[in-house]
Amino acid sequence: MEFTKSICPLCKTPIDAQVNIRKNKVYLRKRCRDHGGFEALVYGDAEEYLSSARFNKPGTIPLTFQTDVRDGCPSDCGLCPEHKQHACLGIIEVNTGCNLDWPICFADSGHHSDGYSITHEQCARMLDAFVACEGEAEVVMFSGGEPTIHKHIWTSST
Ligand code: SF4
């Protein structure tokens, strides 16, 4: 249906990708020169996907950037000055530890031997950077890991 840019999930090299529709589902297909082809379901209802295009609008550039353009996307992530959209949602990962032990975790959280918990000062710097980028930031989400086991977030009343 259209072409876009993506990255190889293994080596992170930017590659061309196709957005294809089959049996009313939307798939992203791409091929890395070194790691072969990949295809993933990205939307379960192609009609809904197409009709959501009416909500597309031009991106809004952030007020400041945190990194320089040096090695190219996605290696310069910061946001870098090549980025064309401000951060709609700020996410602060307060820790990497988790006590839930679910078999699948999109954040790859768990009992990392090299895990971390951020300090108040680090959190303040992150919030300041977010506000500097956004001006009036609308939403920030504290994530992890499992944020409720961070010693500065959850204090039990029992
Ligand atoms: S911040 Fe820069 S490197 Fe990261 S995704 Fe945006 S354009 Fe790519």
Side-chain angles (χ1 to χ4, degrees):
M1 196 199 79
E2 60 188 1
F3 295 101
T4 186
K5 281 281 183 187
S6 186
I7 60 173
C8 169
L10 297 180
C11 66
K12 310 292 187 274
T13 299
I15 50 179
D16 293 330
Q18 301 173 349
V19 178
N20 294 322
I21 291 179
R22 264 196 331 266
K23 295 183 180 170
N24 199 36
K25 296 188 188 312
V26 183
Y27 297 88
L28 188 72
R29 179 186 289 178
K30 54 193 175 181
R31 173 169 293 281
C32 172
R33 198 172 288 177
D34 295 325
H35 299 106
F38 302 90
E39 185 175 77
L41 175 69
V42 292
Y43 216 93
D45 185 329
E47 275 181 40
E48 279 297 316
Y49 177 85
L50 293 171
S51 78
S52 70
R54 69 188 189 278
F55 298 110
N56 287 350
K57 66 182 186 68
T60 309
I61 304 296
L63 300 176
T64 60
F65 300 96
Q66 286 80 37
T67 55
D68 298 324
V69 175
R70 200 182 57 193
D71 299 318
C73 183
S75 300
D76 298 327
C77 246
L79 302 175
C80 83
E82 290 284 296
H83 205 82
K84 306 298 185 209
Q85 175 65 303
H86 77 116
C88 308
L89 169 66
I91 301 178
I92 294 182
E93 296 187 348
V94 299
N95 57 6
T96 51
C98 180
N99 56 0
L100 295 181
D101 293 325
W102 287 26
I104 296 172
C105 174
F106 78 91
D108 194 27
S109 300
H111 303 280
H112 297 270
S113 57
D114 59 346
Y116 65 81
S117 290
I118 64 171
T119 64
H120 278 132
E121 292 72 25
Q122 288 170 322
C123 186
R125 281 206 303 278
M126 291 173 177
L127 288 169
D128 286 345
F130 186 42
V131 171
C133 279
E134 291 297 304
E136 291 188 29
E138 292 179 0
V139 184
V140 65
M141 182 168 95
F142 291 97
S143 181
E146 172 48 50
T148 60
I149 64 171
H150 189 292
K151 63 181 179 183
H152 294 311
I153 286 191
W154 187 260
T155 52
S156 172
S157 59
T158 58

